[in-house]
Amino acid sequence: MISGNPSPTNPFTPDFGTRPAHLASGRALIHEAIRSLASGPRDSGYTRLILGHRGSGKTTILAEIRELARASGMLALSADAATSGLPARLTSAIDRAREPGRHTRSPSPWTERRLRLSGFQLGPFGANWEELPPTQQQWSLGRRLEALAEWASEQGSAVLLTVDEMHAVDREEARRLAADIQSITKIDGLPLALVGAGLPEMADTVLADRKMTFFHRCHRDRMPHTGYDGAWRCLRLTAEDAGGSVEAEALDLMASAASGAVPFKLQSIGYHAWALSGAPERDIDLMAARAAVGRAEADMSEKVLEPMWGDLSDLDRTYLGALSSAGGAATPAQLAALIPDTAVRSLARTEQRLAGAGHITRSPDGVVSLTGALDRSFIQAATDLEALYRTGTPLAPPARRRCNADMPRARARCALTLGHTGGHRSRA
């Protein structure tokens, strides 16, 4: 039986950036990232970028890596690049990390040793110096990162810098940060690691900037989709840990619906199933599971797919619309025929861009197929709506209203349009 009253202890978290109770995917990525951090600056994965769509769990993965790094003794700092001002946020994070008690081996505050000449004598030649109280040093972000990495090296530790939302980073700030990390980590070999995360379109924006070659050389990871086994395990353990349970058929239905999608969909399915069934007092049954899947589909469309579609260019949407109309798979030549008056070079570049973002893939036999979260049903609905505005029948002009004022001498009524200027006329 379905209840409309959600439990206040709902353990599922369909919110962007909120860490779930259990991970459905990404364990292999986390393991590889930690292995690279333990290997040191010479490891190719010591500086890496994680690319994934909204709801794919990038922020959660960053948090997991950060937590494990701290547990191993590393000094882990975090910031986001959603708006300009990244250097200031990183500087604040560094200063907080240096506060006493923030870390098991917190470095001392930024100071410099200052000396003052207190006396001078001619024979024998000599000078007397006295040390002044230390003052707060105003260093650049690069110098602060370098000093922090030097300290970590002396301690036998390392510094981890995690930066989220890198697709929105200010270009000038990104170039400066890239130059600093390259100098500190790759040239000087100091233990300053970087793990950044952003949307896949970074490949055509930030990573396409020729002045940021350091980011080009960073190891890249793609956020994995959720598999059936991972979804099944996550749904069951999350419910059981909160005192609830899921019937076998309901669990299979929900795991199947979440399989191949981003983790946000899984959390949305679990959230609605928990609320609709009245868990934990009642088991999550098949009826609640079916209703939950429907609600999760609506959540996905509103919060993930529509923003994802809006991020695409007009040609990207036209390309995906043509591919959808062809049944979800077509050869490049077939697509070119479906998209007339478009340069072949533009179509080839569009394919590369969409493939890089994970929306399509090309098989060894040359067939391009839809493979991302934007499936045929969503694309068809979106393109059909847009087509209404391109091919709709123009509205007829509004009917003119006559003045119709009485004209006694002419024994008629005014035939001019209502609101006309000048005198009345019996003929227009």
Side-chain angles (χ1 to χ4, degrees):
M1 180 176 180
I2 295 179
S3 168
N5 298 318
S7 167
T9 58
N10 198 317
F12 293 94
T13 55
D15 298 305
F16 298 103
T18 303
R19 294 175 68 179
H22 292 275
L23 290 178
S25 58
R27 291 185 182 83
L29 193 160
I30 294 171
H31 176 79
E32 178 59 22
I34 295 300
R35 184 205 63 76
S36 294
L37 294 177
S39 297
R42 292 188 178 275
D43 191 286
S44 62
Y46 204 68
T47 54
R48 67 174 59 224
L49 299 174
I50 300 173
L51 306 183
H53 293 294
R54 291 177 177 85
S56 62
K58 301 183 298 300
T59 302
T60 295
I61 294 297
L62 282 186
E64 293 288 335
I65 293 172
R66 225 173 19 248
E67 184 175 294
L68 291 172
R70 284 176 178 146
S72 70
M74 293 183 69
L75 183 63
L77 312 175
S78 65
D80 70 83
T83 58
S84 60
L86 176 61
R89 289 192 290 275
L90 289 175
T91 297
S92 296
I94 293 171
D95 290 343
R96 287 195 302 272
R98 298 182 68 90
E99 294 174 358
R102 282 277 186 172
H103 191 261
T104 54
R105 293 175 292 187
S106 296
S108 59
W110 301 116
T111 60
E112 63 172 340
R113 188 181 181 207
R114 298 193 305 154
L115 300 175
R116 180 175 64 185
L117 184 64
S118 61
F120 182 78
Q121 60 185 21
L122 293 176
F125 295 105
N128 297 322
W129 299 86
E130 65 176 346
E131 187 164 350
L132 297 176
T135 60
Q136 190 77 11
Q137 180 71 302
Q138 298 300 316
W139 284 339
S140 66
L141 173 62
R143 181 67 187 96
R144 287 169 183 259
L145 289 172
E146 181 182 30
L148 204 59
E150 289 173 345
W151 167 83
S153 180
E154 293 170 358
Q155 300 294 317
S157 182
V159 179
L160 169 63
L161 181 63
T162 63
V163 182
D164 204 356
E165 305 290 341
M166 285 195 64
H167 54 274
V169 70
D170 179 272
R171 295 294 182 88
E172 291 300 324
E173 294 176 355
R175 290 167 186 161
R176 183 66 264 164
L177 179 62
D180 288 338
I181 297 178
Q182 177 169 284
S183 175
I184 297 167
T185 306
K186 298 303 182 182
I187 297 177
D188 295 339
L190 291 171
L192 174 63
L194 169 71
V195 180
L199 298 177
E201 48 261 38
M202 277 182 65
D204 293 291
T205 55
V206 176
L207 299 180
D209 191 326
R210 295 182 180 179
K211 295 182 180 180
M212 286 189 281
T213 56
F214 166 75
F215 286 141
H216 302 172
R217 295 191 293 269
C218 287
H219 180 87
R220 296 188 201 179
D221 292 303
R222 295 281 180 175
M223 285 296 298
H225 287 298
T226 303
Y228 175 86
D229 291 342
W232 188 92
R233 176 181 176 276
C234 179
L235 288 164
R236 182 177 66 83
L237 292 180
T238 301
E240 291 180 354
D241 287 352
S245 62
V246 189
E247 294 180 359
E249 287 185 311
L251 183 57
D252 176 69
L253 175 68
M254 293 192 295
S256 297
S259 179
V262 295
F264 171 83
K265 184 176 182 180
L266 180 150
Q267 293 295 325
S268 180
I269 291 173
Y271 179 87
H272 289 300
W274 183 275
L276 292 169
S277 64
E281 288 78 13
R282 298 177 181 175
D283 292 348
I284 297 176
D285 57 17
L286 190 59
M287 180 181 285
R290 286 173 176 160
V293 169
R295 294 195 181 187
E297 293 286 356
D299 287 346
M300 275 288 294
S301 180
E302 177 186 354
K303 299 179 180 180
V304 176
L305 301 185
E306 289 177 8
M308 191 183 297
W309 182 257
D311 289 337
L312 300 174
S313 69
D314 289 342
L315 184 53
D316 291 340
R317 291 193 286 267
T318 299
Y319 188 102
L320 292 176
L323 189 55
S324 174
S325 67
T331 65
Q334 291 170 333
L335 288 169
L338 292 171
I339 312 173
D341 303 323
T342 303
V344 172
R345 180 176 296 179
S346 296
L347 292 175
R349 180 62 183 139
T350 300
E351 180 191 331
Q352 291 178 337
R353 183 167 57 252
L354 292 174
H359 295 300
I360 62 173
T361 187
R362 189 201 286 200
S363 64
D365 60 356
V367 176
V368 179
S369 304
L370 291 170
T371 55
L374 294 171
D375 57 17
R376 283 190 65 202
S377 60
F378 178 86
I379 293 173
Q380 198 61 54
T383 53
D384 286 349
L385 178 61
E386 293 172 2
L388 292 176
Y389 289 90
R390 289 195 300 268
T391 61
T393 303
L395 292 174
R400 293 192 312 164
R401 292 184 61 188
R402 293 180 58 177
C403 174
N404 215 34
D406 186 27
M407 300 175 64
R409 293 182 61 183
R411 296 182 180 179
R413 291 186 175 273
C414 180
L416 298 179
T417 304
L418 183 66
H420 66 83
T421 59
H424 298 298
R425 295 188 180 183
S426 59
R427 294 181 182 179

